[in-house]
């Protein structure tokens, strides 16, 4: 396969996943914004949402302190933000078009449909009702694209590169969502199980659609270390870092089988995966520190991206 | 005259490139007024120099290099024995048909101003081509001022003529545009010019060293050739108002600068490219 | 203008050979049903994805070229004669190019004037003396034909550079076969679906001899090119990579593409990129679509370009007028397909005639002289004619003139029902090392506007499927 084609597929996967994540982050932040806060404190949910989407400094440079409308517009519609939902879907659609014959008709229709649908929405001053409609539309489109890929594609390198993009992006997003709120996940006795933190914890889980999963897995009230455990180490949760790395290792392995050769990306993915598997949540909290762990992971994950780019996409 | 030429083309990349390809027209060939005693091309990286002859009879070298590339230096050097032939070129390699040299190119397309200028010169100097070309050469020199900062390698004859200044390349382009407009085949020549005044400064350095002294020229020379019935191709240097002498070394010809460009290349990756060219032309084999 | 020849119905009301069944079918199908069928066809086109690019815009919808569901019919006897003529013409074009870039006998013999060739920007000096595998220059030609009578076929234009439209020929047939399987079963219509195989065989046959199992790729300018759909369609049908310039590298005069498994050698490039843009180190230095060093690899004989560089000199409008002489010069035969009679204004008598008959003639500017369009005499006003007369007098060598042809008509389903509309035909001729291949038929273009002679899709033209069958 042409390197350019592989690169286009990889980023197609990443942008679809990024759009989906942005939708979930906006969703969770909107929800959190309805929780009453002590009047003295400024509510920070939009700062967090921007930070989780990796768009905080770009936003601050343009608009200063975030307001709801400005933040939503930036995260969802702004052409100035290359990771806004609109930018993501536009890039994804352009990518899909340039490798159209490599995709199945269902996948093309999903992404092209989402892109056309997007035109109906205008960022400025969107009411809650319309916003919800928009966000569910985006999530559905991503689901449809993902599902079409799963159900209709040949399992060959086209599929693998698309999947690598998905999981690399997803691992990054999960780590960022956790990292933005790492301070509320620090175990300080007074707040456990109640107060404002509770809503923050719920918001984290909601950002990755894992609130229900949490209850199923732990049969317990929300506890910060369990939340971190679920999102980092639980292989059963499709958005956990651990699960992403299981998939990354698998698809890289498939690629090396198909091409009869392995390289730095396979080695990098395996070593990151082993480290995750060999750690525990208490070790992360007590010995390393959650923030340090996540910072290191985000850098590792980026390194894997570079290794894949160098080995296959350049 | 026996002339020794050293021509260094050096690229520096602030961010290293990872691959480069270069096409060189840096090798003079012999004709009656010019004998190439020896000539070599050196590249400071491992590569395979491929050599071919192009449609104009120029010797072309090409090479590719890959791997981390912080810079790239190409040196062409050698000795050429020259003779003053009053600009007449004979026994050179000719491949392209003469008629081809009537063709307009983007760099040599005449605009109304050049056409009017050419027509004026033609009515002044009459139909004898040799007279006409001399007249044209002098008229261009009168009309245009030499200025190294005014133009670049992509400047068209029309633009340079309108602005009234340029370098030898622009003078040659205007000459070619005018000659072709008048129905005479004409072409571009790239090469070297021995300039005693500069050479004297240069010789204060030690020219036996590989390093080319700072006072070197930073560009080659360019002139034009036009077809004169009975004589064949004859050189005209409108920048200096004379036909080439034994101080001239003829390297490559083309329809315009692009066809005879000494170096055309591309790099992959990297950035912050800096190009420096240094040329040293000295006289050898004669006692001072 | 003379009465147009209708390909279905003769002046006495009888049907021409091959059209009887179509007439019956038309008579037995209601307008409503036809409209329904047309809608169905459009849906099929959209589903297959054939669209006429309006890329780059914020267009969600890509337009499709209007498709007429009434096929154009040609008998096998008619086709065989056409096909012999096409083969002859393309053979002569290839010999002509090989000669021009070789010893130029035809210029020495004074058959074609030298300046017409050497001052033509599409004559590429870079090609002089180059030995191409099997001496094939034009592997893919699209010859535009028009018909004016029972036995009168004229070549309007030779396309020897990067002719397009073949994807429409293939898609039109695909759609027709899905919609009218019965008609195909009853009438044994010659298939066109072998075209991709024939093209691939042609391309493989002209690979440089240095390589046993040649790799073929299609070079496209990219998604913003108006024919990008066709490029990706063909690459897909041929099972070859669709590459852009940035996918290719030249390493030591070998062309390679960057793949996920490393650099891979390419032996044949079916390029749909114009000469000018192929190699910034040889042609336009500002081209970012090309491959630096490609011409050096080409000159070294390490890659075949299809079509070759510099073929545009053969399809020039002025050179076209010499085609009958060119065919005679190389093949010693008379041209089977006629040229439209042409007055070359460069010739004094012709010029005088043209200036006196501007009202009846179509005046065209030859390539390489600016492209200020053309004058259609019968549709022009006095001012336009005067303006052209002025231009012709200033630069007679830049102009040719032809009579206004009455293009044949075919029944076409339009707003007001079924009505005759003017058509042309572009068959595709493939020249390989082994033989010439032509799939029967080609792309029929139809001017949907009543009376219009302009079949271009950008100006209200549509397409039809072209059926070659036993009458």
């Amino acid at each position: 396969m042409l390197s350019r084609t592989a690169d286009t597929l990889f980023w197609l996967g990443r942008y679809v996943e990024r759009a989906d994540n942005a939708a979930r982050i906006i969703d969770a932040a909107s929800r959190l914004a309805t929780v009453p806060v002590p009047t003295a404190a400024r509510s920070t949910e939009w700062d967090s949402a921007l930070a989780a989407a990796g768009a905080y400094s770009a936003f601050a440079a343009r608009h200063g302190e975030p307001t709801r409308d400005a933040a939503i517009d930036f995260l969802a519609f702004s052409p100035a933000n290359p990771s806004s939902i609109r930018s993501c879907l536009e890039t994804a659609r352009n990518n899909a078009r340039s490798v159209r014959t490599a995709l199945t008709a269902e996948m093309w229709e999903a992404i092209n449909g989402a892109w056309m649908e997007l035109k109906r929405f205008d960022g400025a001053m969107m009411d809650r009702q319309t916003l919800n409609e928009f966000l569910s539309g985006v999530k559905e489109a991503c689901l449809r694209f993902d599902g079409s890929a799963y159900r209709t594609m040949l399992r060959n390198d086209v599929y693998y590169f698309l999947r690598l993009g998905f999981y690399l992006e997803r691992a990054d997003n999960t780590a960022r969502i956790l990292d933005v709120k790492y301070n509320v996940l620090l175990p300080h006795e007074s707040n456990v199980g109640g107060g404002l933190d509770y809503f923050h914890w719920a918001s984290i889980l909601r950002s990755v659609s894992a609130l229900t999963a949490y209850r199923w897995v732990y049969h317990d009230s929300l506890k910060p270390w369990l939340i971190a455990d679920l999102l980092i180490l639980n292989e059963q949760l499709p958005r956990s870092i651990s699960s992403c790395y299981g998939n990354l290792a698998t698809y890289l392995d498939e690629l090396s089988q198909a091409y009869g050769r392995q390289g730095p990306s396979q080695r990098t993915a395996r070593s990151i995966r082993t480290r995750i598997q060999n750690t525990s949540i208490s070790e992360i909290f007590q010995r390393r520190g959650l923030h340090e762990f996540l910072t290191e992971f985000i850098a590792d994950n980026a390194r894997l991206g570079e290794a894949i780019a160098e080995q296959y996409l350049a | 005259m026996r002339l020794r030429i050293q021509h260094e083309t050096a690229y520096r990349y602030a961010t290293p490139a990872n691959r480069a390809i270069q096409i060189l027209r840096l090798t003079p060939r012999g004709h009656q007024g010019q004998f190439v005693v020896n000539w070599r091309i050196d590249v400071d990286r491992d590569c395979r120099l491929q050599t071919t002859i192009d449609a104009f009879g120029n010797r072309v070298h090409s090479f590719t290099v890959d791997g981390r590339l912080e810079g790239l230096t190409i040196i062409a050097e050698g000795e050429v024995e020259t003779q003053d032939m009053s600009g007449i070129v004979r026994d050179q390699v000719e491949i392209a048909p003469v008629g081809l040299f009537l063709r307009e190119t983007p760099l040599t397309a005449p605009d109304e101003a050049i056409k009017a200028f050419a027509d004026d010169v033609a009515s002044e100097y009459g139909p004898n081509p040799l007279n006409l070309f001399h007249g044209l050469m002098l008229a261009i020199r009168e009309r245009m001022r030499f200025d190294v900062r005014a133009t670049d390698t992509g400047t068209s004859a029309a633009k340079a003529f309108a602005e009234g200044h340029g370098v030898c390349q622009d003078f040659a382009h205007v000459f070619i545009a005018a000659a072709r407009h008048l129905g005479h085949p004409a072409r571009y020549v790239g090469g070297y010019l021995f300039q005693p005044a500069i050479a004297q400064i240069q010789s204060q350095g030690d020219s036996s060293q590989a390093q080319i002294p700072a006072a070197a020229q930073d560009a080659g020379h360019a002139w034009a050739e036009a077809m004169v019935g009975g004589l064949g191709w004859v050189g005209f240097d409108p920048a200096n108002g004379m036909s080439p002498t034994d101080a001239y070394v003829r390297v490559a010809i083309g329809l315009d600068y692009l066809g005879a460009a000494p170096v055309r290349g591309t790099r992959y990756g990297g950035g912050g490219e800096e190009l420096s060219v240094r040329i040293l032309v000295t006289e050898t084999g004669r006692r001072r | 203008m003379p009465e147009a020849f209708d390909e279905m119905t003769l002046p006495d009301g009888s049907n021409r050979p091959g059209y009887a069944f179509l007439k019956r079918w038309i008579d037995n199908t209601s307008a409503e049903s036809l409209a329904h069928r047309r809608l169905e066809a459009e849906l099929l086109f959209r589903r297959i994805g054939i669209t006429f690019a309006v890329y780059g815009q914020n267009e969600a919808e890509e337009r499709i070229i209007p498709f007429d569901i009434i096929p154009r019919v040609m008998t096998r006897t008619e086709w065989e004669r056409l096909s012999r003529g096409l083969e002859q013409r393309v053979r002569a074009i290839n010999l002509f190019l090989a000669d021009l870039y070789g010893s130029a006998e035809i210029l020495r013999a004074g058959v074609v004037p030298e300046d017409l060739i050497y001052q033509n920007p599409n004559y590429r000096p870079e090609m002089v003396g180059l030995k191409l595998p099997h001496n094939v220059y034009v592997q893919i030609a699209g010859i535009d034909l028009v018909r004016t009578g029972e036995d009168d076929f004229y070549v309007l234009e030779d396309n020897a550079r990067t002719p397009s439209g073949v994807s429409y020929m293939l898609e039109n047939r695909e759609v027709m076969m899905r919609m009218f399987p019965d008609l195909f079963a009853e009438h044994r219509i010659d298939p066109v679906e072998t075209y991709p195989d024939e093209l691939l065989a042609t391309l493989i046959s002209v690979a440089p001899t240095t390589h046993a199992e040649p790799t073929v790729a299609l070079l496209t300018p990219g998604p913003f090119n108006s024919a990008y759909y066709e490029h990706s369609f063909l690459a897909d049908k041929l099972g070859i990579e669709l590459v852009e310039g940035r996918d290719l590298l030249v390493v030591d005069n070998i062309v390679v593409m960057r793949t996920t498994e490393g650099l891979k050698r390419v032996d044949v490039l079916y390029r749909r990129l114009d000469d000018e843009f192929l190699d910034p180190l040889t042609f336009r230095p500002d081209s970012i679509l090309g491959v630096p060093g490609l011409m050096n690899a080409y000159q070294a004989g390490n890659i075949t370009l299809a079509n070759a560089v510099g073929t545009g000199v053969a399809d020039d409008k002025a050179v076209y007028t010499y085609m009958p002489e060119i065919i005679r010069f190389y093949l010693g035969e008379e041209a089977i397909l006629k040229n439209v009679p042409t007055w070359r204004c460069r010739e004094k008598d012709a010029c005088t005639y043209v200036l006196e008959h501007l009202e009846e003639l179509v005046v065209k500017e030859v390539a390489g002289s600016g492209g200020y369009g053309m004058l259609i005499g019968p549709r022009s006003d006095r001012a336009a004619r005067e303006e052209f007369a002025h231009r012709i007098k200033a630069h007679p060598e830049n102009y040719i003139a032809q009579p206004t042809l009455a293009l044949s008509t075919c029944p076409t389903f339009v707003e007001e029902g079924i009505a005759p509309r003017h058509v042309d035909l572009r068959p595709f001729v493939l020249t390989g090392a082994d033989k010439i291949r032509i799939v029967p038929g080609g792309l029929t273009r139809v001017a949907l506007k009543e009376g219009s002679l302009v079949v271009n899709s950008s100006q209200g033209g549509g397409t039809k499927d072209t059926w070659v069958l036993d009458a």
Side-chain angles (χ1 to χ4, degrees), chain B residues 6-21:
Chain B
Q6 289 163 279
H7 180 170
E8 180 191 278
T9 306
Y11 295 95
R12 287 283 157 264
Y13 311 119
T15 318
N18 52 41
R19 188 185 292 280
I21 177 166

Side-chain angles (χ1 to χ4, degrees), chain A residues 15-92:
Chain A
Y15 277 111
V16 170
E17 182 64 20
R18 192 173 290 180
D20 184 49
N21 270 292
R24 284 168 207 282
I25 287 170
I26 297 173
D27 210 8
S30 301
R31 181 88 173 232
L32 193 55
T34 62
V35 175
V37 285
T39 42
R42 195 180 76 83
S43 68
T44 56
E45 57 275 355
W46 293 110
D47 304 59
S48 306
L50 287 163
Y56 188 81
S57 46
F59 178 90
R62 287 174 172 269
H63 307 286
E65 207 161 272
T67 61
R68 170 191 179 268
D69 288 345
I72 290 177
D73 184 67
F74 196 71
L75 289 171
F77 301 103
S78 172
N81 174 12
S83 295
S84 71
I85 293 174
R86 167 168 292 164
S87 303
C88 284
L89 290 180
E90 214 156 66
T91 313

Side-chain angles (χ1 to χ4, degrees), chain B residues 18-19 21-23 25 47-48 50-56 60-64 66 95-104 106 115 255 258 264-266 268, chain C residues 114-115 117-129 248-253 258 263 276 279-285 291-294 296 299-300 395:
Chain B
N18 52 41
R19 188 185 292 280
I21 177 166
Q22 300 283 322
I23 312 286
R25 283 178 174 79
C47 65
R48 195 183 311 162
Q50 318 256 2
T51 167
T52 48
I53 304 295
D54 72 11
F56 299 105
V60 181
H61 291 91
S62 62
F63 67 90
T64 46
D66 61 53
I95 297 176
V98 173
L100 184 66
F101 296 101
L102 281 166
R103 186 198 287 185
E104 270 178 25
K115 286 179 186 169
L255 288 172
L258 274 179
R264 285 178 82 169
T266 300
Y268 294 86
Chain C
E114 203 184 274
D115 62 320
I117 303 302
Y118 293 144
Q119 291 186 51
N120 187 322
N122 291 310
Y123 171 84
R124 305 279 172 195
E126 291 79 8
M127 296 298 292
V128 172
L248 300 177
L249 286 176
V250 175
V251 179
D252 288 338
N253 280 351
R258 309 179 208 227
L263 299 179
E276 282 286 277
D279 178 356
L281 301 188
T282 296
F283 303 115
R284 281 177 65 148
V291 187
L294 181 60
N296 286 69
Q299 285 161 339
H395 287 286

Side-chain angles (χ1 to χ4, degrees), chain B residues 212-232:
Chain B
I212 299 176
Q217 308 170 30
D218 60 3
H221 193 51
W223 58 96
E225 282 173 5
M227 179 50 91
V228 179
L231 284 179

Side-chain angles (χ1 to χ4, degrees), chain A residues 292-313:
Chain A
E292 288 70 17
F293 173 86
L294 290 169
T295 310
E296 195 186 320
F297 170 78
I298 290 169
D300 279 346
N301 193 51
R303 216 157 37 82
L304 177 63
E306 283 159 24
I308 292 172
E310 201 161 309
Q311 193 173 338
Y312 296 112
L313 315 179

